Amino acid sequence: MACIAIAPANQNLCSTVRAPRLLPTLFVIGSLKAGSTSLWANLVDHTNGRITPGYLTHKGDVSRKEKDFFGDPSMWRLGRRWYEAIWPRCTKDDHKVAVDATPAYHVWYDAPKNMATFFGPKLPQLKLVWMMREPVSKFWSYFWELKQYGGEFQRMSFSQFLAPKLARAHACLEKDPNSPLWPPSLPPPFESCAPHLDHGLYHPQLVRWLQFFHPSQLLIISFAGFISQPSEVFHDVLIHAGLPRTEAKGAVERLQQAPATAHRKKMENSRAKGHGRMAAKSRAQLHEFYAPFIERLYGLLNDKHISVSPCREMGTRFLDPPENYSASVPWRDNANARPFGQVRWKTSATQFSLGSESAHSE
Ligand SMILES: Nc1ncnc2c1ncn2[C@@H]1O[C@H](COP(=O)(O)OS(=O)(=O)O)[C@@H](OP(=O)(O)O)[C@H]1O
């Protein structure tokens, strides 16, 4: 566990209003479709109440986990009092840690700035967790999530969904090959250059977060590592949140002993399972699109010495596509944990080693 910086003993952040509230110090800021529901459920289910999710808002069930406040401008407008009121009251000897797990935060350009405004000099006390998944399978997962919402996405095939977005992004890259393509609000001609695709552009997003947060406040989680070593990742997150080692150990034991219930399965939160796999051509196009951004991200993580959990994936190419890649099936081995310098991205359809295409492709 030596690669995870040990957080100072947990300090509560109580708001200054007359009936002070226990404000969150732990934030899961990303990524959409990268296991955040599962991690969040482990945090609130297996820490004996030590990690607390706060109250429901008008957004219903999902708001136990996701408060949305610092990202979505319509939520930010609700104001400080509104946010404070959705957390439990502070008690004298309260050792709880409140968690706001909003995986869309990393996509909102103003989220880190809003946090800085809200927390002021206490900002350095916050701990951020960012789960990162190889962006092509993440994009596929998000497509099936969008289909749940009905509307225009309901009738769309994956290639109909993808083609105009890629065309738009490539047009922007032709104008400037170094365009970050994010945020969507870049000035013309780079406005909305990569709709939906921009969720996987971790590099420019991380640059933005580092304008407000010290690298040691961040813990990146490898999605592949989360699946293969859930206990180790859980332990790292608890230590990052400031829990003492003895408590973290107890929580990990409870997680390991927990039965595989329907609740746990539900918390995996899959919409993509049962929908086959992405067509080889789309997959190759997406890999080609994301490859340079992922290279830049590896460079930034290494330059800033940002912790990655599980430890064995630190300094590795943990976001590369695995061999025998299938977008619909998360991999469970350690194929990705290769040293950072070793380039593995392959960018044309013919270079992929592909199994036979699923009958349900798209
Ligand atoms: N333990 C475990 N094993 C394998 N896969 C897992 C696990 N936990 C979460 N997942 C996968 O993570 C995807 C859901 O991520 P999120 O909960 O972050 O989604 S959301 O953004 O909050 O909607 C969703 O991915 P897809 O199945 O590809 O859609 C889940 O299957």
Side-chain angles (χ1 to χ4, degrees), residues 26-27 120 137 170 185 190 204 222 231 251 291 303 313 335 339:
L26 178 62
F27 286 86
S137 42
H170 285 306
S185 53
F190 300 117
S222 147
S231 299
D303 288 351
E313 304 216 357

mmCIF file of all heavy atoms in Angstrom, residues 26-27 120 137 170 185 190 204 222 231 251 291 303 313 335 339:
data_model
loop_
_atom_site.group_PDB
_atom_site.id
_atom_site.type_symbol
_atom_site.label_atom_id
_atom_site.label_comp_id
_atom_site.label_asym_id
_atom_site.label_seq_id
_atom_site.Cartn_x
_atom_site.Cartn_y
_atom_site.Cartn_z
ATOM 1 N N LEU A 26 -15.038 13.535 1.222
ATOM 2 C CA LEU A 26 -14.675 12.528 0.220
ATOM 3 C C LEU A 26 -15.583 12.703 -0.999
ATOM 4 O O LEU A 26 -16.816 12.700 -0.864
ATOM 5 C CB LEU A 26 -14.847 11.125 0.817
ATOM 6 C CG LEU A 26 -14.542 9.952 -0.116
ATOM 7 C CD1 LEU A 26 -13.087 9.968 -0.573
ATOM 8 C CD2 LEU A 26 -14.839 8.616 0.587
ATOM 9 N N PHE A 27 -14.964 12.869 -2.157
ATOM 10 C CA PHE A 27 -15.724 13.045 -3.400
ATOM 11 C C PHE A 27 -15.293 11.999 -4.420
ATOM 12 O O PHE A 27 -14.097 11.880 -4.711
ATOM 13 C CB PHE A 27 -15.477 14.440 -3.996
ATOM 14 C CG PHE A 27 -16.176 15.540 -3.252
ATOM 15 C CD1 PHE A 27 -15.575 16.126 -2.157
ATOM 16 C CD2 PHE A 27 -17.444 15.964 -3.630
ATOM 17 C CE1 PHE A 27 -16.222 17.133 -1.446
ATOM 18 C CE2 PHE A 27 -18.098 16.963 -2.928
ATOM 19 C CZ PHE A 27 -17.489 17.554 -1.826
ATOM 20 N N GLY A 120 -13.496 27.164 0.090
ATOM 21 C CA GLY A 120 -12.516 28.203 0.425
ATOM 22 C C GLY A 120 -11.222 27.612 0.969
ATOM 23 O O GLY A 120 -10.678 26.666 0.389
ATOM 24 N N SER A 137 -14.746 1.120 -23.998
ATOM 25 C CA SER A 137 -15.803 0.327 -23.356
ATOM 26 C C SER A 137 -16.689 1.218 -22.487
ATOM 27 O O SER A 137 -17.893 0.973 -22.324
ATOM 28 C CB SER A 137 -15.233 -0.845 -22.563
ATOM 29 O OG SER A 137 -14.118 -0.475 -21.849
ATOM 30 N N HIS A 170 -13.448 14.878 -35.597
ATOM 31 C CA HIS A 170 -12.352 14.886 -36.568
ATOM 32 C C HIS A 170 -12.266 16.228 -37.297
ATOM 33 O O HIS A 170 -11.166 16.698 -37.601
ATOM 34 C CB HIS A 170 -12.487 13.720 -37.544
ATOM 35 C CG HIS A 170 -12.092 12.407 -36.917
ATOM 36 N ND1 HIS A 170 -10.872 12.225 -36.305
ATOM 37 C CD2 HIS A 170 -12.750 11.236 -36.772
ATOM 38 C CE1 HIS A 170 -10.808 10.994 -35.815
ATOM 39 N NE2 HIS A 170 -11.934 10.375 -36.080
ATOM 40 N N SER A 185 -17.551 23.980 -23.972
ATOM 41 C CA SER A 185 -17.748 25.421 -24.123
ATOM 42 C C SER A 185 -16.526 26.142 -24.672
ATOM 43 O O SER A 185 -16.416 27.349 -24.557
ATOM 44 C CB SER A 185 -18.109 26.017 -22.767
ATOM 45 O OG SER A 185 -17.128 25.635 -21.837
ATOM 46 N N PHE A 190 -14.177 25.514 -31.781
ATOM 47 C CA PHE A 190 -14.073 24.267 -31.034
ATOM 48 C C PHE A 190 -15.228 24.057 -30.058
ATOM 49 O O PHE A 190 -15.088 23.372 -29.057
ATOM 50 C CB PHE A 190 -12.732 24.223 -30.289
ATOM 51 C CG PHE A 190 -11.568 24.313 -31.217
ATOM 52 C CD1 PHE A 190 -10.693 25.374 -31.154
ATOM 53 C CD2 PHE A 190 -11.374 23.348 -32.183
ATOM 54 C CE1 PHE A 190 -9.633 25.465 -32.026
ATOM 55 C CE2 PHE A 190 -10.313 23.422 -33.069
ATOM 56 C CZ PHE A 190 -9.445 24.487 -32.988
ATOM 57 N N PRO A 204 -7.512 16.540 -20.600
ATOM 58 C CA PRO A 204 -7.799 17.960 -20.354
ATOM 59 C C PRO A 204 -8.607 18.174 -19.070
ATOM 60 O O PRO A 204 -8.467 19.211 -18.412
ATOM 61 C CB PRO A 204 -8.601 18.383 -21.596
ATOM 62 C CG PRO A 204 -9.073 17.124 -22.238
ATOM 63 C CD PRO A 204 -8.070 16.067 -21.866
ATOM 64 N N SER A 222 -8.100 2.390 -11.181
ATOM 65 C CA SER A 222 -8.186 1.655 -12.446
ATOM 66 C C SER A 222 -9.429 0.768 -12.381
ATOM 67 O O SER A 222 -9.579 -0.045 -11.460
ATOM 68 C CB SER A 222 -6.925 0.814 -12.617
ATOM 69 O OG SER A 222 -7.220 -0.374 -13.301
ATOM 70 N N SER A 231 -10.921 -5.613 -3.016
ATOM 71 C CA SER A 231 -10.593 -5.365 -1.597
ATOM 72 C C SER A 231 -9.448 -4.370 -1.479
ATOM 73 O O SER A 231 -9.462 -3.490 -0.620
ATOM 74 C CB SER A 231 -10.171 -6.658 -0.902
ATOM 75 O OG SER A 231 -11.218 -7.569 -0.951
ATOM 76 N N ALA A 251 -13.261 -2.972 7.678
ATOM 77 C CA ALA A 251 -14.237 -2.768 6.596
ATOM 78 C C ALA A 251 -13.941 -3.715 5.431
ATOM 79 O O ALA A 251 -14.863 -4.287 4.829
ATOM 80 C CB ALA A 251 -14.187 -1.306 6.125
ATOM 81 N N ALA A 291 -6.619 7.407 -28.406
ATOM 82 C CA ALA A 291 -5.216 7.054 -28.116
ATOM 83 C C ALA A 291 -4.336 8.240 -27.711
ATOM 84 O O ALA A 291 -3.664 8.181 -26.666
ATOM 85 C CB ALA A 291 -4.607 6.304 -29.296
ATOM 86 N N ASP A 303 4.117 12.540 -14.358
ATOM 87 C CA ASP A 303 4.792 13.791 -13.986
ATOM 88 C C ASP A 303 4.360 14.275 -12.605
ATOM 89 O O ASP A 303 5.159 14.811 -11.847
ATOM 90 C CB ASP A 303 4.445 14.915 -14.981
ATOM 91 C CG ASP A 303 5.121 14.696 -16.321
ATOM 92 O OD1 ASP A 303 5.978 13.783 -16.411
ATOM 93 O OD2 ASP A 303 4.771 15.412 -17.285
ATOM 94 N N GLU A 313 -0.846 -1.132 -10.510
ATOM 95 C CA GLU A 313 -1.127 -0.493 -11.800
ATOM 96 C C GLU A 313 -0.518 0.903 -11.911
ATOM 97 O O GLU A 313 -0.603 1.534 -12.952
ATOM 98 C CB GLU A 313 -2.643 -0.455 -12.041
ATOM 99 C CG GLU A 313 -3.239 -1.841 -11.973
ATOM 100 C CD GLU A 313 -4.353 -2.082 -12.940
ATOM 101 O OE1 GLU A 313 -4.741 -1.160 -13.669
ATOM 102 O OE2 GLU A 313 -4.857 -3.218 -12.947
ATOM 103 N N ALA A 335 -3.651 -8.042 -17.742
ATOM 104 C CA ALA A 335 -2.975 -7.860 -19.025
ATOM 105 C C ALA A 335 -2.549 -6.410 -19.246
ATOM 106 O O ALA A 335 -1.604 -6.136 -19.970
ATOM 107 C CB ALA A 335 -3.882 -8.304 -20.155
ATOM 108 N N PRO A 339 4.450 -1.607 -18.104
ATOM 109 C CA PRO A 339 5.123 -0.351 -17.770
ATOM 110 C C PRO A 339 4.651 0.786 -18.649
ATOM 111 O O PRO A 339 4.278 0.584 -19.815
ATOM 112 C CB PRO A 339 6.601 -0.659 -18.010
ATOM 113 C CG PRO A 339 6.697 -2.145 -17.990
ATOM 114 C CD PRO A 339 5.377 -2.677 -18.427
#
